[in-house]
């Protein structure tokens, strides 16, 4: 077999392959054997029909077609490996010549990863938010904890903001009560915004036994997105009582003995959270600067596939779970279809570029992924998916996704290398030193976010 490569553009090549006919022998034998098992000829046992009889009865052309279809993937793969191409997606194959007993010639056009030049990235500088935890932040944190330990007690008065009411609901659309439009004994905290728009105004001022009617757009169920007439009946009003902020509360709500110890722990926890956010911000901004440094051509077909994949996942998975369609989602977001299209395409371009650049860095820096790193990454992915580590690992192995996870870890390590070389300062002008282990974890997550669903 002989092959040659012609570069059509930075992301697409044409392979020209010439195969001597003798190299088709195995595929021809397989074709005769396959046809033997599929057809019946009087006077011959199944599977024992001579090749000359198959040629006479069914035509040599049918055999050649079967043989070529069997052989093409093998010869294409050999040509790709010989040329050391990093191909993307499926090729467009065209058989240019097929002469029985002489030769098989074909071309294959396919997208390839572009050759990238990674420049010196040690001069990258980014600014991130300074870490500042105020007394107000501490008070808000403790107040939220206090809310969790609030108790309720029924009261004989009209409902007010902050009260917990028990209500019965009935929703009608076009005058008909919906099959899934009745709910009784629902507990609702006035002002929480957890139910229907307009319900707060409807129940405020109502005592147990009173009801009100209001209109609202349904957020879920069989009539999601439609206007409904909702009847709400208050069956109980309960006042929320917050515990006193003292040492007894600290002992009730935590492992600490005093309120001051609880507040000190809240400060430490909030500081850690802001450090986490700062690290994430640093990864994202360094990645942006890195992408600006590298000229990355994007294969058009890969981009179109990626855009379509993102749209499909949004419409059929994320929005479906929320009971929304794309039009309603765009209305809620205040975006036009054109704006959505532009944003989706820009995100897809960034995802593909991120993967290309970080993969090139993995090669340049000769980065490897060990079992411990892969296991830690798998544990994080399992937690974010809501699956147990064992379930997630089984799904990954059965789906042949292990190389994808290895790639994610490697790209995270590549980004961590760039971040380590960059200068990161906060808004106060102080140099930020990121912990190496945390840096790699954050980098993996930052690169996953940017390249999400990018193919390659």
């Amino acid at each position: 077999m002989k092959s040659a490569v012609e570069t059509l553009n930075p992301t697409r090549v044409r392979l020209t392959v010439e195969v001597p006919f003798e190299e088709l022998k195995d595929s021809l034998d397989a074709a005769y054997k396959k046809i033997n098992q599929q057809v019946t000829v009087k006077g011959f046992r199944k599977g024992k029909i001579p090749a000359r009889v198959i040629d006479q009865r069914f035509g040599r052309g049918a055999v050649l077609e079967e043989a070529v279809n069997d052989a093409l993937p093998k010869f294409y793969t050999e040509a790709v490996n010989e040329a050391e191409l990093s191909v993307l997606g499926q090729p467009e194959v065209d058989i240019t010549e097929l002469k029985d007993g002489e030769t098989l010639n074909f071309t294959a056009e396919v997208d390839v990863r572009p050759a990238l030049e990674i420049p010196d990235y040690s001069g990258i500088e980014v600014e991130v938010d300074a870490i500042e935890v105020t007394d107000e932040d501490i008070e808000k944190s403790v107040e939220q904890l206090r809310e969790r330990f609030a108790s309720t007690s029924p009261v004989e008065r009209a409902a007010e903001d902050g009260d917990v009411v028990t209500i019965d609901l009935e929703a009608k659309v076009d005058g008909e009560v919906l099959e899934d439009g009745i709910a009784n004994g629902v507990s609702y905290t006035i002002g929480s915004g957890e139910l229907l728009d307009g319900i707060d105004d409807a129940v405020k001022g109502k005592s147990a036994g009173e009801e009100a009617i209001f209109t609202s757009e349904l957020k879920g169920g069989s009539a999601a997105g439609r206007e409904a007439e909702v009847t709400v009946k208050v069956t109980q009003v309960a006042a929320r009582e917050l515990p006193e902020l003292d040492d007894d509360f600290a002992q009730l709500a935590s492992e600490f003995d005093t309120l001051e110890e609880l507040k000190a722990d809240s400060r430490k926890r909030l500081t850690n959270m802001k450090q986490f956010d700062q690290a994430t911000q640093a990864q994202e901004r360094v990645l942006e600067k890195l992408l600006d440094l590298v000229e990355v051509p994007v294969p058009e077909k890969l981009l179109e596939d990626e855009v379509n994949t993102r749209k499909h996942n949004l419409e059929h998975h994320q929005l479906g779970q929320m009971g929304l369609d794309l039009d309603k989602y765009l209305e809620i977001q205040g975006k036009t279809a054109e704006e959505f299209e532009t944003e989706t395409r820009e995100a897809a371009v960034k995802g593909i570029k991120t993967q290309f650049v970080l993969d090139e860095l993995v090669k340049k820096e000769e980065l490897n992924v060990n079992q411990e790193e892969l296991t830690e990454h798998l544990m994080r992915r399992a937690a974010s998916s809501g699956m147990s580590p064992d379930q997630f690992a089984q799904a990954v192995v059965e789906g042949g996704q292990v190389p994808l996870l290895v790639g994610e870890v490697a790209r995270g390590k590549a980004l961590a290398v760039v971040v380590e070389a960059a200068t990161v300062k906060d808004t106060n002008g102080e140099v930020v030193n990121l912990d190496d282990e945390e840096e790699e974890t954050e980098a993996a997550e930052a690169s996953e976010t940017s390249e999400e669903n990018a193919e390659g």
Side-chain angles (χ1 to χ4, degrees), residues 130-409:
I131 295 175
E132 183 180 3
V133 178
T134 66
D135 290 342
E136 184 180 345
D137 293 332
I138 304 301
E139 296 301 326
K140 183 178 179 181
S141 174
V142 172
E143 189 62 28
Q144 289 173 341
L145 182 61
R146 188 183 179 205
E147 292 276 350
R148 288 170 48 192
F149 283 86
S151 59
T152 60
S153 57
V155 292
E156 298 295 328
R157 59 166 174 77
E160 301 173 354
D161 271 328
D163 285 343
V164 179
V165 290
T166 303
I167 54 178
D168 297 336
L169 296 164
E170 180 185 87
K172 293 181 181 179
V173 173
D174 297 332
E176 296 291 332
V177 177
L178 299 171
E179 287 186 12
D180 55 355
I182 297 176
N184 295 321
V186 177
S187 181
Y188 175 66
T189 301
I190 299 176
S192 66
E194 294 173 351
L195 280 179
L196 300 168
D197 293 338
I199 195 170
D200 288 338
D201 291 336
V203 297
K204 275 193 294 189
K206 297 294 184 293
S207 300
E210 295 182 331
E211 60 181 52
I213 298 175
F214 65 101
T215 58
S216 183
E217 184 179 294
L218 298 178
K219 297 181 179 179
S222 61
R226 299 185 64 184
E227 285 287 327
E229 180 185 88
V230 183
T231 300
V232 55
K233 180 178 180 180
V234 177
T235 59
Q236 185 186 76
V237 179
R240 298 175 74 250
E241 297 176 1
L242 298 174
E244 291 294 327
L245 280 178
D246 53 23
D247 292 346
D248 289 338
F249 168 70
Q251 294 166 23
L252 170 69
S254 70
E255 70 272 28
F256 302 106
D257 293 326
T258 67
L259 183 61
E260 286 308 309
E261 289 175 332
L262 174 60
K263 288 183 176 181
D265 180 70
S266 294
R267 183 178 295 278
K268 179 181 178 181
R269 184 166 43 82
L270 289 174
T271 299
N272 289 339
M273 289 173 60
K274 293 201 173 189
Q275 285 175 335
F276 184 94
D277 292 341
Q278 187 187 64
T280 301
Q281 193 178 64
Q283 314 297 341
E284 292 172 349
R285 293 184 179 179
V286 168
L287 177 59
E288 292 279 358
K289 288 288 186 73
L290 176 63
L291 294 181
D292 287 342
L293 290 176
V294 187
E295 185 69 31
V296 186
V298 176
E300 190 58 36
K301 187 176 185 307
L302 179 64
L303 176 58
E304 292 304 320
D305 289 345
E306 173 62 12
V307 169
N308 291 333
T309 297
R310 287 172 181 257
K311 288 179 181 176
H312 179 84
N313 288 341
L314 176 65
E315 290 189 64
H316 299 281
H317 298 292
Q318 297 162 264
L319 296 184
Q321 293 176 354
M322 296 187 288
L324 297 174
D325 60 20
L326 182 58
D327 290 339
K328 190 60 189 176
Y329 169 77
L330 293 179
E331 181 184 330
I332 293 171
Q333 294 291 313
K335 296 177 183 176
T336 65
E338 291 75 17
E339 289 170 336
F340 169 72
E341 181 75 26
T342 298
E343 289 180 5
T344 303
R345 183 168 290 271
E346 288 175 351
V349 168
K350 182 180 178 183
I352 294 170
K353 286 185 174 182
T354 296
Q355 184 167 330
F356 284 175
V357 170
L358 294 183
D359 282 346
E360 190 67 28
L361 267 169
V362 169
K363 289 194 296 183
K364 179 179 180 180
E365 301 294 342
E366 300 181 346
L367 301 174
N368 295 307
V369 176
N370 61 41
Q371 187 61 48
E372 182 181 357
E373 291 167 335
L374 182 60
T375 300
E376 289 176 358
H377 182 64
L378 187 147
M379 298 282 280
R380 289 197 302 272
R381 288 290 303 271
S384 64
S385 71
M387 300 170 68
S388 72
D390 287 344
Q391 289 174 323
F392 187 80
Q394 182 178 352
V396 166
V397 172
E398 291 178 353
Q401 302 296 300
V402 173
L404 293 181
L405 286 190
V406 172
E408 289 173 358
V409 177

Side-chain angles (χ1 to χ4, degrees), residues 25 38 73 78 104 112 194 208 218 398:
K25 183 180 183 306
Q38 294 175 337
E78 286 181 10
L104 163 65
V112 293
E194 294 173 351
L218 298 178
E398 291 178 353

Side-chain angles (χ1 to χ4, degrees), residues 55-67:
D55 288 346
Q56 292 168 355
R57 289 294 186 92
F58 305 102
R60 174 72 167 175
V63 179
L64 287 175
E65 182 179 357
E66 183 67 39

